[in-house]
């Protein structure tokens, strides 16, 4: 099926990758105190401290839990709006002015380079502890993902209808509105819902650096060694994420 040279190259690459995995496993265990066996014992000991969960605090954590959801909704909505011009400017088949296209692409690459946790630390340092720095961090984080994915969707769109509209005398806004948007709108909506799911999870982590929401409460409970309370919060977050993911999946199926 394949030439002998290709088989040798594939075999050599496979052996190199396998060697890297084995070396990484060996080196990781070497750096671990007690090895994997000790890690498993520690894990079981720590997990035991989280049970049974203390569900009596559920009523007290509903407010920060709703704040987390609100933070993700606001950030996703603002990012979805700002993404539209950025995605158009970073789509090569729409933005024919090369310097503008390269500048927008570079900006989006920069946004994706900075982790959401680092963004939260920066904004918490600028604006203090609360929901506002978390929302700003999620907006910037969402822009990097959404604009990249939507711009690629735009570049994959059929340009023949737009060319026909151009030949009929339509301007740029008319071509985008009637020729491009109908093609990318289902994917756009699906990607926005996908990023909203990501933001729900990310907003919990951002609370660890003071960005508000349920993550801040979870960090406090773990810091005070209230592990049963922390387990109840984790279970509540898990349930909320499952419900939101189910609703989002159904909406995407209906749109696509």
């Amino acid at each position: 099926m394949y030439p002998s040279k290709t088989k040798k190259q594939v075999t050599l690459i496979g052996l190199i990758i396998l060697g890297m995995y084995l070396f990484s496993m060996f080196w990781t265990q070497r750096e671990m105190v007690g090895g994997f066996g000790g890690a498993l014992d520690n894990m079981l000991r720590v997990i035991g401290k989280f049970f049974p969960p203390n569900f009596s605090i559920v009523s007290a954590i509903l407010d920060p839990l709703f704040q987390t959801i609100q933070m993700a909704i606001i950030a996703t909505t603002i990012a979805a709006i700002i993404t539209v011009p950025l995605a158009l400017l970073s789509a090569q088949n729409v933005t024919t002015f090369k310097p503008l296209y390269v500048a927008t692409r570079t900006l989006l690459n920069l946004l994706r380079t900075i982790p959401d946790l680092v963004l939260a630390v920066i904004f918490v340092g600028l604006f203090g502890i609360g929901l506002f720095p978390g929302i700003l961090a999620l907006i910037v984080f969402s822009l990097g993902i959404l604009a990249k994915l939507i711009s690629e969707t735009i570049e994959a769109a059929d340009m023949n209808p737009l060319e026909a509209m151009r030949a009929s005398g339509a301007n740029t806004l008319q071509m985008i509105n009637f020729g491009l948007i109908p093609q990318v709108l289902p994917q756009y909506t699906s990607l926005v819902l996908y990023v909203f799911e990501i933001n729900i999870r990310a907003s919990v982590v951002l609370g660890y650096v003071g960005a508000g929401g349920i993550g801040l409460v979870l960090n406090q409970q773990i810091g005070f060694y209230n592990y049963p309370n922390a387990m109840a919060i984790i279970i509540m977050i898990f349930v909320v994420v499952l419900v939101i993911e189910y609703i989002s999946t159904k909406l995407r199926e209906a749109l696509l």
Side-chain angles (χ1 to χ4, degrees):
M1 296 276 306
Y2 297 99
S4 176
K5 182 179 179 181
T6 302
K7 291 181 180 179
K8 291 180 181 179
Q9 291 176 343
V10 171
T11 303
L12 179 62
I13 294 173
L15 290 174
I16 292 174
I17 294 174
L18 179 62
M20 292 174 60
Y21 275 115
L22 293 175
F23 174 77
S24 299
M25 292 173 62
F26 168 77
W27 193 263
T28 301
Q29 185 173 4
R30 179 182 175 183
E31 294 295 315
M32 293 172 60
V33 178
F36 284 109
L40 290 174
D41 291 338
N42 293 333
M43 182 180 69
L44 293 175
R45 192 179 305 113
V46 171
I47 291 176
K49 296 179 181 179
F50 282 84
F51 291 93
N54 180 22
F55 289 107
S56 62
I57 67 164
V58 169
S59 59
I61 65 174
L62 287 178
D63 186 53
L65 185 60
F66 288 141
Q67 288 179 357
T68 297
I69 298 173
Q70 291 167 359
M71 185 164 59
I73 291 174
I74 294 171
T76 306
T77 303
I78 296 175
I81 296 172
I82 302 176
T83 289
V84 174
L86 288 177
L88 290 171
L89 291 175
S90 59
Q92 197 168 13
N93 56 345
V94 175
T95 305
T96 55
F97 186 56
K98 195 71 174 179
L100 182 59
Y101 166 78
V102 172
T104 310
R105 280 281 182 174
T106 304
L107 173 63
L108 295 179
N109 290 333
L110 178 62
L111 294 180
R112 286 195 304 277
T113 302
I114 307 174
D116 53 343
L117 203 58
V118 175
L119 290 170
V121 171
I122 294 173
F123 288 124
V124 167
L126 291 174
F127 301 104
I129 295 174
L131 297 179
F132 184 66
I135 292 172
L136 292 179
L138 287 178
I139 289 173
V140 177
F141 171 69
S142 302
L143 278 175
I145 300 175
L146 270 178
K148 167 70 173 177
L149 295 177
I150 295 172
S151 65
E152 291 179 350
T153 303
I154 293 173
E155 289 179 343
D158 184 8
M159 298 301 292
N160 290 328
L162 279 74
E163 294 298 330
M165 294 176 65
R166 188 196 302 274
S168 302
N171 56 39
T172 303
L173 291 178
Q174 289 173 331
M175 288 190 300
I176 293 174
N177 190 27
F178 297 104
L180 187 61
I181 290 179
Q183 295 187 60
V184 302
L185 186 58
Q187 286 292 335
Y188 170 82
T189 309
S190 176
L191 291 172
V192 169
L193 291 172
Y194 171 69
V195 169
F196 173 64
E197 295 175 19
I198 295 177
N199 284 341
I200 289 289
R201 300 175 179 88
S203 58
V204 176
V205 179
L206 297 187
Y208 268 73
V209 293
I214 194 66
L216 183 60
V217 180
L218 179 60
N219 186 32
Q220 291 172 348
Q221 295 301 317
I222 293 178
F224 294 146
Y225 302 104
N226 294 326
Y227 295 119
N229 292 356
M231 192 63 198
I233 295 173
I234 292 171
I235 292 174
M236 289 293 296
I237 295 171
F238 177 71
V239 171
V240 169
V241 169
L242 281 182
V243 171
I244 291 175
E245 185 172 356
Y246 175 79
I247 296 172
S248 178
T249 300
K250 291 301 180 181
L251 287 174
R252 283 200 299 269
E253 289 176 355
L255 291 169
L256 297 177

